[in-house]
Amino acid sequence: MGEELVDLIVELKEDEALKATKAKIDAAEDPIEIIELSRKAMKIVGDRFEAGEYMLPELVMAGEILKGISEIIKPKLIKADTKYIGKFILGTIEGDIHDIGKNVIKFLLEGNGFEVIDLGIDVPPEKFVETLKETGAPIIGMSALLSSGYPGMKKTVELIKEAGLRDKVKILIGGEPMDELVMEYTGADAWTRSGAEGVIIAKKWMGV
């Protein structure tokens, strides 16, 4: 059933993918597992896009499917009566329109007491810095599914340094292609491919 959901997302079969997701939720399956299946599917979609097999319309369609999946699993991710921890600036970096990973960690962060300032998709580096100046948030999270997002992440960190704010903020990068080398290249403080792990990192930074 898990691989079936992956295939439905990759083949852009929206109705069937949402129906399969609802069936999993109705069967009390772990929403985090559904997130992981979605992540796996988006990795394949991203690979096809970079290989020229999928074009922008397919990328947008996959994003819409995953937005629908997020709405189905959202109620199972958010916890009630949680203590406020702090602000978290979040966005998909410029040049990337994927938001499933961003939306998932947003739900998880909100469920764990963070006030999430969601900048959306295709966010330019300057917007991250502008928002940091306005809010004084202690953490910035940048997401990307495509390797083309690396330069934007690096530029964001550089602009934060130029603004004299680097020692006041922790920077987390997330998405399927992230690893230690990407973290070093961009100058971020941590990386993750998992929304749940991202929340753990953020809470640790906040001393929770």
Side-chain angles (χ1 to χ4, degrees), residues 113-131:
F114 283 92
E115 176 189 342
V116 180
I117 302 162
D118 186 357
L119 302 181
I121 59 174
D122 196 24
V123 182
E126 292 80 5
K127 182 62 177 177
F128 281 103
V129 181
E130 175 187 328
T131 306

Side-chain angles (χ1 to χ4, degrees), residues 52-66:
E53 297 173 25
Y54 274 2
M55 308 311 289
L56 188 57
E58 284 79 14
L59 211 56
V60 172
M61 183 63 190
E64 287 300 309
I65 293 172
L66 295 174

Side-chain angles (χ1 to χ4, degrees), residues 32-199:
I32 299 298
E33 289 300 319
I34 298 174
I35 292 168
E36 287 303 306
L37 291 171
S38 300
R39 182 178 66 81
K40 183 176 180 180
M42 285 310 297
K43 171 65 167 59
I44 297 172
V45 170
D47 288 345
R48 290 188 181 185
F49 178 78
E50 293 198 321
E53 297 173 25
Y54 274 2
M55 308 311 289
L56 188 57
E58 284 79 14
L59 211 56
V60 172
M61 183 63 190
E64 287 300 309
I65 293 172
L66 295 174
K67 187 179 295 183
I69 290 174
S70 295
E71 287 303 310
I72 292 172
I73 64 177
K74 181 177 180 179
K76 300 295 183 180
L77 292 174
I78 296 182
K79 303 173 185 176
D81 302 322
T82 53
K83 183 179 179 182
Y84 176 73
I85 294 177
K87 296 179 180 180
F88 189 115
I89 299 170
L90 182 66
T92 301
I93 194 64
E94 187 173 39
D96 200 322
I97 61 170
H98 292 92
D99 62 1
I100 180 66
K102 175 184 71 65
N103 290 342
V104 166
I105 194 171
K106 176 183 178 181
F107 300 150
L108 293 172
L109 286 166
E110 289 176 339
N112 280 273
F114 283 92
E115 176 189 342
V116 180
I117 302 162
D118 186 357
L119 302 181
I121 59 174
D122 196 24
V123 182
E126 292 80 5
K127 182 62 177 177
F128 281 103
V129 181
E130 175 187 328
T131 306
L132 176 61
K133 290 178 179 178
E134 292 173 351
T135 65
I139 304 175
I140 286 179
M142 293 183 282
S143 173
L145 182 70
L146 308 175
S147 58
S148 56
Y150 300 165
M153 291 177 166
K154 181 180 176 66
K155 183 178 179 182
T156 301
V157 176
E158 290 173 346
L159 290 179
I160 290 172
K161 287 180 180 177
E162 290 176 11
L165 299 172
R166 186 63 183 91
D167 61 343
K168 300 182 186 313
V169 65
K170 290 288 189 179
I171 300 173
L172 175 66
I173 56 173
E176 184 60 36
M178 301 306 151
D179 59 23
E180 196 77 18
L181 291 177
V182 180
M183 183 187 75
E184 292 176 2
Y185 168 75
T186 60
D189 295 298
W191 65 275
T192 184
R193 297 175 185 168
S194 163
E197 181 184 46
V199 172

Side-chain angles (χ1 to χ4, degrees), residues 85 114 139 197-208:
I85 294 177
F114 283 92
I139 304 175
E197 181 184 46
V199 172
I200 291 172
I201 293 170
K203 290 177 74 173
K204 181 178 179 182
W205 282 341
M206 296 301 293
V208 179

